[in-house]
Amino acid sequence: MDRLLTRAAGGSGLAALTLQGEPGIGKTTVWEAARIEGAARGFRVLSARPTRSESGLPLGAFGDLFSDAFANAGGGLPAPQRDALEVALLLAEPAGGAHGHRALSVATVTLLRALTDGEHPVLLAIDDVQWLDESSAAVLSYALRRVHDRPIGVVISLRGSGSSVSPLDFDVTAQREWSEHRTLGPLSLGALHRMLEARVGESFPRLALVKIEAASGGNAFYALEIARALIRSAMPVSAGGPLPIPATLTALTSARIDALPPRTRDALVVAAVAFEPSLDVLARVAGAELEDDLEPAMHDGVISVDGGSVRFSHPLLAAAVLSREGSARIHEIHSRLAAAGCSDEARARHLGLAAQGPSALAAEALEAAAERARQRGAPVTAAEMLEQARDLTPATNTEGAVHRAFEAAQCYAEAGDKGRAWDLLEQAMEARPTGIARARVLQLLGQVRAWSASFPEALEFALEAIQASDSDVALRAEIELDAVFCYVSMGDYVRAEAHARAAVADGEQAGSDGAKAESLAILTIIEFFGGQGVDETRLARALALEDPLRTGPVQMRPRVIRALLLLFTGRLDEAIKAMIELISEAAERGHDTAIPMVSFYLVWACVWRGDLAEAARVAAQARDVAGLNDDASMRALSLTTSALAAAHAGGVDRARAEASEALALFVGLQWTLGAIWPLWALGFIELSVGNAARVDELLRPLAEAITQMGFGEPVLGVFLPDEVEALVALGDLDGALRLVDWLERGGTRVDRPWALAVAARGHALIAAAQGDLDSAVGALDRAIVEHDRLAMPLELARTLLVKGQVHRRRREKRLADQALRESLRLFDQAGAALWSARVRTELARIGLRPRAPTDLTETEARVAALAADGMTNAQVAKAAFISPKTVDNVLARVYRKLGISSRAQLGVVLAAINDDHGDEGGTPIHGG
């Protein structure tokens, strides 16, 4: 315990101590010492002591831990998180939709970080953690895995042997932080002597101590009970005689209960049954004040009264109390407790346990309590209540049973337990629901399969659900969107468009704003992929209607679709900003499933922008998030994201390993569209190391599929420039030309500078391979013009590399040197190590002496020469086929490189450069 507190307070991050052992071994004593010592050392101590009776109440221990902490530090939290905590802590009523358990979990992370931002470390202390309710356990497990860098100590006690498992699912050792697990063993004879002397006030002779040790096995609780029995009996201990106590623990505790007055025993039975054993509730059940009746049990240490609630000093004592009663008596007490004015959730639980057969009243109460638990962010507890409600539903109410099974499945799915959700839905289908009930069950079956990324199966359920929902237009609009999601994921954009249009029509007629927004947005991007550009008016309407609390696939959300369209149309700065905001909001609200997907596209944007360091950071964050969730699709996306970043940075082994693993996951999940992205990463890394045959093996099937599907948007072929380069290297110029023509047609139709630039580079590669170097130069000039409209330095660097190679073959050494050095600068600046190495190899083949740092690129030289000849910026723009704004930018770079500040100085400096380099081969600057 001392090591735990020292480590946690030392700024080294999260530290944890688990105390495990059999009941009565002394875990609580050490746990209590940790709390006291922690407070003395300046820790902010947050503690909870859950009991068996409280384990069925949602977020019970969570409230004990965080009520005071939230009062002190909750004011600075973001509004969605503060709202989620207020509802969970019963400080506010739910407003609007339910707060998901992830939102509450993320709010808990933020609260813990806020608590540790000051001078005090935090100690989380939970006694008898095995009784922790599932909702509290889920929230704490999520939070603790995400604060391993904070000065937090965790001390928990766990009943049972070493095989027992704590409901807190976090592993600090996985984060290379400090944890210790101690199984408490029996006390020695000397320790027993000191403990008994301190606790019962008597010193026992050695013979009695030896017998107590033997009978108790060194268990402190057992030993204490035996000692008390000896004192009560006043019998001497003889060497050959037995101790005057029962031999087993159950008998031992029963004897202790038997020693209490009958009225006390009766009161203890009610306290052991109650979910909320407050003195007020117990008094209402008994019809009289119980403090006098409970006094003997308090005096004997059987119970304590803490904050008006009755707590047994050991769960075995409560079990002993209940073991004395028959089931009829227990049912009767549950019934009385249900009428005693306890909370809605406790009342519902008592009604359910009081029922000895189907009960409409109990089922309805449990269903209502489940909805409240769900709104508070406890979906697992809600699901359990709904399952119990289903089981208590009278056989004549088949519709009600199906509805409760469906709602329970939704709660399990929300909590991430897709397997249990699937089982409940299958059971619901066995009841043969009809009409809308059948449609809803089929819809959720499809969504569960889609969340597992089994899209063909999910689609079958969605299409069947659409047929079943014919009379409910609003529901049909929702299910049409499910079908769209499946078709898009499978790469079938034609059918996706048909269902998207149906969703728009149904949504306009009767759908919710959230469904309308998604149908409008998804139709917009489908039309975009078809080569129709962006319908900005429709997209703006979708954004205005978007529901930020709506659940479902992240790819369907209007703001996500807007961010993707910004990326695909080359508006990279705007796309990056939008995606960073989306990831931040997803993290704040606990929507982890959104982070790997958006992160992939953010890495794509960073790669195009030439910021490989940021791409690596985003990829690492996505891997961390996916690692904390048991979700194959999230893992596949995060691996792809990391592989794409590694491939462009030159991490060969990592890129190959991660992309290969991601590809296997996507294939296993039947996610056709997703499989494109790891193939892109694999193809790029193989191209980077010069393995053209492997590039073609990976990308040829994909290239053929994309170009034959009839898409009009060239960005869908983002990997095609890599396949073109590989085909040229392999001598398949006709195959390369087909791909280049596809890119050029699409780029021309929708004016995509990226597609036009890489298509022109492809034409140059093909022409050079045919020996037509003049045509290659002309194609590269066209490519450079398109690059001037882009902010994609790595693509420009690849074009300049080809340009340098072509000029070298034309024996234009100076122009080759200019192009290659600019290419090298761009690759080096981005950190693309493998491509930098390729450029250096090309430079070595030229053999020119090192150039002055003031040398200009060809575009800069051409613009500078025209400006030096007296042209205005507008005239230069027209002559160079670029915009006046681009002329301004180019001249600014020229002035900076040449160390001048005006156009008047330009002619003199350029003349000096031409005189200096005109005799080294190639074309002087004015002729460029």
Side-chain angles (χ1 to χ4, degrees):
M1 179 267 290
D2 179 73
R3 287 196 296 275
L4 163 80
L5 297 175
T6 300
R7 179 80 181 190
S12 300
L14 183 71
L17 171 63
T18 301
L19 304 166
Q20 188 165 5
E22 65 184 40
I25 202 67
K27 303 180 298 298
T28 297
T29 301
V30 181
W31 175 86
E32 183 64 32
R35 290 178 68 242
I36 294 171
E37 180 65 15
R41 295 193 192 187
F43 279 75
R44 189 192 301 270
V45 180
L46 314 179
S47 63
R49 300 186 65 183
T51 64
R52 181 199 293 268
S53 63
E54 294 170 340
S55 62
L57 295 177
L59 301 174
F62 182 87
D64 292 342
L65 284 168
F66 292 108
S67 290
D68 291 341
F70 177 75
N72 293 329
L77 270 61
Q81 299 183 13
R82 188 170 61 252
D83 293 344
L85 282 165
E86 286 179 345
V87 172
L89 295 172
L90 301 178
L91 300 174
E93 290 295 319
H99 289 280
H101 78 291
R102 286 192 182 276
L104 178 58
S105 301
V106 172
T108 306
V109 173
T110 307
L111 179 59
L112 285 172
R113 291 187 175 276
L115 290 170
T116 53
D117 280 340
E119 300 177 356
H120 298 286
V122 166
L123 179 66
L124 282 170
I126 305 174
D127 192 21
D128 274 335
V129 74
Q130 72 276 356
W131 302 128
L132 191 64
D133 63 275
E134 290 189 3
S135 303
S136 296
V139 172
L140 287 171
S141 298
Y142 180 101
L144 290 175
R145 290 197 297 268
R146 289 160 172 80
V147 292
H148 57 85
D149 58 336
R150 291 296 175 130
I152 296 175
V154 181
V155 58
I156 61 175
S157 72
L158 173 65
R159 179 186 299 182
S161 64
S163 61
S164 301
V165 178
S166 166
L168 276 184
D169 177 24
F170 75 100
D171 182 8
V172 295
T173 59
Q175 303 288 350
R176 296 190 299 278
E177 303 300 337
W178 185 88
S179 68
E180 194 163 333
H181 188 285
R182 289 289 169 183
T183 299
L184 301 188
L187 295 182
S188 66
L189 193 66
L192 277 174
H193 169 68
R194 292 190 296 273
M195 186 272 292
L196 292 174
E197 192 174 48
R199 298 296 293 273
V200 301
E202 290 194 22
S203 180
F204 291 85
R206 183 174 180 81
L207 177 59
L209 276 175
V210 170
K211 283 184 167 289
I212 291 172
E213 182 191 28
S216 68
N219 182 292
F221 177 77
Y222 297 3
L224 189 57
E225 295 304 303
I226 292 169
R228 285 173 173 153
L230 276 172
I231 293 170
R232 286 194 298 268
S233 70
M235 293 177 60
V237 178
S238 62
L243 290 173
I245 56 172
T248 65
L249 175 62
T250 301
L252 175 62
T253 52
S254 295
R256 184 174 178 186
I257 301 302
D258 284 339
L260 297 171
R263 291 178 61 85
T264 300
R265 294 199 302 268
D266 288 343
L268 289 178
V269 174
V270 181
V273 172
F275 282 107
E276 295 174 347
S278 69
L279 288 172
D280 289 343
V281 169
L282 300 183
R284 285 194 291 273
V285 171
E289 295 295 333
L290 293 181
E291 290 190 66
D292 290 342
D293 292 341
L294 292 171
E295 178 58 34
M298 295 172 61
H299 181 268
D300 203 35
V302 174
I303 61 168
S304 62
V305 178
D306 182 12
S309 292
V310 176
R311 294 181 178 273
F312 283 84
S313 59
H314 196 283
L316 290 174
L317 291 168
V321 169
L322 293 174
S323 69
R324 303 160 56 86
E325 303 297 330
S327 60
R329 166 76 167 147
I330 299 298
H331 283 302
E332 187 263 336
I333 293 174
H334 278 301
S335 181
R336 285 159 55 191
L337 283 165
C342 50
S343 71
D344 290 343
E345 290 167 6
R347 174 179 175 272
R349 287 287 179 126
H350 285 305
L351 281 173
L353 293 170
Q356 301 184 49
S359 169
L361 176 64
E364 290 169 4
L366 283 164
E367 184 176 6
E371 177 58 27
R372 184 170 180 83
R374 188 178 185 183
Q375 289 178 334
R376 290 178 58 206
V380 174
T381 302
E384 291 174 341
M385 289 180 176
L386 286 161
E387 274 199 86
Q388 189 180 11
R390 179 201 61 172
D391 294 341
L392 293 172
T393 302
T396 55
N397 187 6
T398 303
E399 184 178 343
V402 168
H403 172 72
R404 286 157 184 160
F406 169 78
E407 292 291 334
Q410 277 198 318
C411 290
Y412 279 124
E414 179 186 339
D417 189 347
K418 302 180 183 72
R420 185 57 188 151
W422 179 262
D423 292 342
L424 282 169
L425 291 168
E426 284 195 314
Q427 292 169 23
M429 287 299 292
E430 289 173 3
R432 300 184 181 280
T434 58
I436 299 305
R438 175 179 173 81
R440 289 189 182 280
V441 174
L442 287 168
Q443 179 192 23
L444 189 53
L445 279 167
Q447 290 175 347
V448 169
R449 273 294 179 257
W451 289 329
S452 303
S454 180
F455 293 110
E457 291 182 45
L459 179 62
E460 290 182 18
F461 285 117
L463 295 177
E464 190 176 351
I466 290 171
Q467 296 300 315
S469 66
D470 188 60
S471 62
D472 189 326
V473 178
L475 176 60
R476 191 173 65 220
E478 298 279 355
I479 306 173
E480 290 282 6
L481 286 174
D482 294 341
V484 172
F485 177 56
C486 293
Y487 276 125
V488 168
S489 300
M490 294 164 61
D492 189 341
Y493 285 90
V494 175
R495 289 186 175 86
E497 181 176 356
H499 283 274
R501 293 190 183 283
V504 169
D506 288 343
E508 294 290 2
Q509 182 177 343
S512 67
D513 283 350
K516 289 179 190 176
E518 291 188 1
S519 62
L520 292 167
I522 198 67
L523 180 58
T524 300
I525 199 168
I526 289 173
E527 287 184 350
F528 171 82
F529 287 146
Q532 300 177 49
V534 179
D535 187 331
E536 297 288 357
T537 302
R538 184 196 293 137
L539 182 59
R541 184 165 177 240
L543 291 167
L545 291 172
E546 183 171 7
D547 177 4
L549 298 179
R550 182 176 166 83
T551 59
V554 63
Q555 302 96 310
M556 308 289 281
R557 298 176 191 171
R559 289 180 61 206
V560 172
I561 287 174
R562 174 181 175 272
L564 298 186
L565 291 171
L566 290 171
L567 165 64
F568 297 156
T569 55
R571 296 159 66 180
L572 299 183
D573 290 342
E574 295 174 76
I576 289 171
K577 180 182 178 182
M579 291 176 191
I580 289 174
E581 289 176 355
L582 287 167
I583 291 172
S584 177
E585 288 180 15
E588 183 176 294
R589 294 184 179 273
H591 297 160
D592 281 6
T593 54
I595 293 175
M597 173 62 72
V598 180
S599 294
F600 168 73
Y601 289 106
L602 178 54
V603 164
W604 179 347
C606 290
V607 164
W608 265 2
R609 197 70 180 83
D611 192 347
L612 300 187
E614 178 66 4
R617 186 197 67 78
V618 173
Q621 181 188 51
R623 283 201 314 273
D624 288 345
V625 170
L628 294 167
N629 293 273
D630 184 18
D631 187 304
S633 59
M634 289 178 68
R635 176 163 175 77
L637 284 165
S638 67
L639 285 167
T640 301
T641 301
S642 183
L644 188 63
H648 282 81
V652 178
D653 292 341
R654 180 170 197 162
R656 283 173 173 162
E658 292 183 330
S660 297
E661 185 179 351
L663 182 60
L665 286 169
F666 279 122
V667 171
L669 295 168
Q670 298 179 284
W671 193 343
T672 305
L673 183 64
I676 293 175
W677 313 130
L679 284 170
W680 175 24
L682 281 170
F684 184 82
I685 197 64
E686 297 301 339
L687 181 68
S688 301
V689 298
N691 191 349
R694 178 60 176 158
V695 175
D696 184 49
E697 180 184 346
L698 291 164
L699 298 184
R700 181 186 287 266
L702 204 56
E704 291 176 352
I706 289 292
T707 55
Q708 292 173 12
M709 280 184 177
F711 295 136
E713 174 51 54
V715 78
L716 288 167
V718 65
F719 55 87
L720 290 180
D722 304 336
E723 172 66 355
V724 167
E725 192 164 333
L727 290 173
V728 171
L730 294 171
D732 185 358
L733 302 186
D734 290 340
L737 184 59
R738 283 194 295 273
L739 300 183
V740 168
D741 286 345
W742 185 88
L743 284 166
E744 190 170 47
R745 285 196 303 273
T748 301
R749 182 172 54 253
V750 293
D751 190 25
R752 295 281 176 267
W754 167 81
L756 294 172
V758 297
R761 184 173 73 217
H763 279 303
L765 286 167
I766 295 168
Q770 294 170 331
D772 187 354
L773 299 182
D774 290 343
S775 294
V777 170
L780 289 166
D781 285 342
R782 295 197 303 275
I784 294 295
V785 169
E786 297 300 334
H787 279 299
D788 283 341
R789 300 168 59 197
L790 294 170
M792 299 181 185
L794 292 182
E795 290 293 354
L796 173 59
R798 287 178 64 175
T799 297
L800 290 170
L801 170 57
V802 175
K803 186 173 179 61
Q805 292 169 328
V806 170
H807 280 307
R808 179 183 59 79
R809 289 179 59 188
R810 283 163 58 95
R811 301 184 183 280
E812 296 166 341
K813 292 186 177 182
R814 177 54 56 193
L815 293 178
D817 187 69
Q818 287 176 347
L820 291 173
R821 289 193 180 279
E822 180 63 9
S823 174
L824 179 62
R825 183 186 70 81
L826 294 171
F827 281 134
D828 279 348
Q829 183 176 333
L834 293 176
W835 289 81
S836 291
R838 289 179 62 173
V839 177
R840 287 189 172 90
T841 299
E842 289 294 328
L843 279 168
R845 297 176 69 181
I846 296 175
L848 282 181
R849 63 177 175 77
R851 302 186 326 158
T854 57
D855 285 345
L856 308 179
T857 68
E858 181 153 349
T859 299
E860 291 166 348
R862 184 169 64 254
V863 169
L866 293 171
D869 285 341
M871 289 187 180
T872 66
N873 283 8
Q875 291 170 326
V876 171
K878 185 175 181 180
F881 303 102
I882 57 178
S883 69
K885 184 176 181 180
T886 301
V887 173
D888 291 339
N889 294 334
V890 171
L891 284 176
R893 294 199 302 270
V894 169
Y895 291 167
R896 185 172 61 253
K897 285 185 177 183
L898 299 181
I900 60 178
S901 58
S902 68
R903 186 172 298 212
Q905 299 170 282
L906 194 56
V908 177
V909 174
L910 291 184
I913 291 175
N914 279 322
D915 290 344
D916 183 44
H917 293 273
D919 60 350
E920 293 183 9
T923 306
I925 270 186
H926 277 280

